[in-house]
């Protein structure tokens, strides 16, 4: 009942930029794969011990990195 007034408005993105899936960055609608990408980002950061896309970069720079989709290898 309390969620009726706290729903996200259409076209509004909530959350950290560094966990957005590339399709969201491109303006496409979310899908189950969107959540899988975000989970994979968190898992990568857990294993690597460092940010995948953010790393102190500004918002626009982070979005560019996500859009490029280059994932550094875990070594």
């Amino acid at each position: 009942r309390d969620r009726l007034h706290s729903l996200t408005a259409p076209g509004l993105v909530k959350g950290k930029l560094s966990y957005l899936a590339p399709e969201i960055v491109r303006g496409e609608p979310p899908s189950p794969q969107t959540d899988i990408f975000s989970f994979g980002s968190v898992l990568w950061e857990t294993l690597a011990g460092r940010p995948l896309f953010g790393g102190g970069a500004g918002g626009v720079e982070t979005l560019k990195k996500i859009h490029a989709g280059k994932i550094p290898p875990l070594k």
Side-chain angles (χ1 to χ4, degrees):
R1 192 170 87 199
D2 61 335
R3 304 262 310 156
L4 292 175
H5 300 289
S6 63
L7 294 176
T8 304
L12 182 67
V13 176
K14 286 186 176 180
K16 303 283 184 187
L17 289 178
S18 58
Y19 301 114
L20 288 178
E23 60 268 19
I24 300 299
V25 172
R26 291 189 299 264
E28 298 171 11
S31 68
Q33 289 81 7
T34 304
D35 292 332
I36 294 170
F37 180 87
S38 298
F39 172 74
S41 296
V42 172
L43 179 60
W44 190 97
E45 291 181 356
T46 301
L47 295 171
R50 59 188 169 96
L52 176 56
F53 294 113
V60 173
E61 191 62 34
T62 299
L63 293 176
K64 286 180 182 178
K65 289 179 181 180
I66 293 170
H67 191 267
K70 294 182 180 174
I71 309 295
L74 285 171
K75 290 186 179 181

